[in-house]
């Protein structure tokens, strides 16, 4: 009777697992990008700035973070589960996105003096308060590259936001220049708004 019970239990587990796999393949979230591309997968995280979607690739699964400014529309198979609310009584209720993926660096928000520190210390490795577009640091965020060697610092107030890019060179964080002349970028943005 033990062998029969074990076989039945294994069969039930196999059926349940197969049903979960089939359900996850049938019920995919779809992001439609302004470029016309459709990204199928499962939305795993989202913020005011971006949506992270897990997609199947030939080598397995990949996480892709897509800025909301590039998203035209989205179709969800089911609502995203609510995220856990940080406990304000904990010693350090920091934003999970503030720590780099390799856990070596951490963004310390501050309305007047935001900074990057070595995780678990007060050692400042980069002051972020002297930004070219002003201060507006109340709602500033840091978006880390998967390899933790680059990050984007997004800051601003109201409808006016700016982004500064940084890269780790050796043991020092260096500001990166924008990929094109700033006047051309601003002119292109003005042209797009004027055409709307």
């Amino acid at each position: 009777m033990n062998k029969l019970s074990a076989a039945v239990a294994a069969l039930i587990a196999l059926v349940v697992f197969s049903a979960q796999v089939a359900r996850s393949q049938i019920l995919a979230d779809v992001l439609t990008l302004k470029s016309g591309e459709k990204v199928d997968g499962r939305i795993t995280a989202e913020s005011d700035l971006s949506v992270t979607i897990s997609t199947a690739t030939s080598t397995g699964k990949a996480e892709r973070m897509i800025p909301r400014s590039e998203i035209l529309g989205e179709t969800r198979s089911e609502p995203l589960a609510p995220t856990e609310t940080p406990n304000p009584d904990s010693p350090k209720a920091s934003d999970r996105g503030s720590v780099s993926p390799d856990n070596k660096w951490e963004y310390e928000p501050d309305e007047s003096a935001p900074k990057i520190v070595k995780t678990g210390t007060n050692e400042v490795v980069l002051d972020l308060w002297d930004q070219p577009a002003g201060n507006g640091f109340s709602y500033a965020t840091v978006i880390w590259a998967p390899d933790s060697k680059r990050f984007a610092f997004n800051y601003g107030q109201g409808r006016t936001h700016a982004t500064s890019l940084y890269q780790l060179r050796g043991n020092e964080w260096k500001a990166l220049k924008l990929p094109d002349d700033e006047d051309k970028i601003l002119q292109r943005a003005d042209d797009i708004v004027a055409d709307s």
Side-chain angles (χ1 to χ4, degrees):
M1 195 62 143
N2 272 343
K3 288 182 181 179
L4 181 60
S5 297
V8 169
L11 183 59
I12 290 172
L14 181 61
V15 168
V16 169
F17 177 74
S18 298
Q20 289 174 340
V21 169
R23 182 176 185 274
S24 69
Q25 290 172 347
I26 293 169
L27 296 174
D29 297 323
V30 179
L31 295 179
T32 305
L33 306 185
K34 291 179 180 176
S35 66
E37 177 186 3
K38 290 193 177 202
V39 182
D40 296 345
R42 184 75 179 130
I43 295 174
T44 57
E46 61 183 315
S47 70
D48 292 339
L49 299 174
S50 65
V51 174
T52 302
I53 188 165
S54 178
T55 59
T57 66
S58 59
T59 58
K61 289 194 175 208
E63 293 282 322
R64 183 170 170 191
M65 185 173 19
I66 302 172
R68 285 202 181 269
S69 61
E70 294 179 16
I71 299 172
L72 182 62
E74 58 185 70
T75 305
R76 295 177 186 261
S77 59
E78 57 189 58
L80 186 63
T83 57
E84 185 179 325
T85 305
N87 179 359
D89 298 330
S90 67
K92 188 165 190 172
S94 63
D95 178 16
R96 289 178 50 100
S98 67
V99 177
S100 64
D102 66 0
N103 293 317
K104 290 182 180 178
W105 316 103
E106 184 172 3
Y107 168 61
E108 290 287 334
D110 186 309
E111 281 188 39
S112 58
K115 57 193 150 287
I116 300 293
V117 299
K118 285 188 178 180
T119 302
T121 72
N122 291 326
E123 183 182 341
V124 177
V125 294
L126 180 65
D127 283 316
L128 296 168
W129 61 269
D130 190 15
Q131 296 298 313
N135 55 15
F137 302 131
S138 297
Y139 300 102
T141 58
V142 165
I143 301 169
W144 293 97
D147 65 1
S148 303
K149 295 183 190 244
R150 291 172 307 283
F151 70 87
F153 179 58
N154 185 278
Y155 58 98
Q157 295 176 342
R159 288 188 267 166
T160 305
H161 284 266
T163 300
S164 296
L165 306 173
Y166 292 87
Q167 181 168 349
L168 185 63
R169 293 192 179 139
N171 290 325
E172 194 172 342
W173 288 99
K174 298 283 186 179
L176 297 174
K177 293 184 180 181
L178 293 173
D180 197 12
D181 179 48
E182 187 173 338
D183 292 336
K184 289 180 184 176
I185 293 172
L186 294 175
Q187 182 59 46
R188 178 73 178 127
D190 289 342
D191 292 345
I192 291 170
V193 170
D195 290 342
S196 300

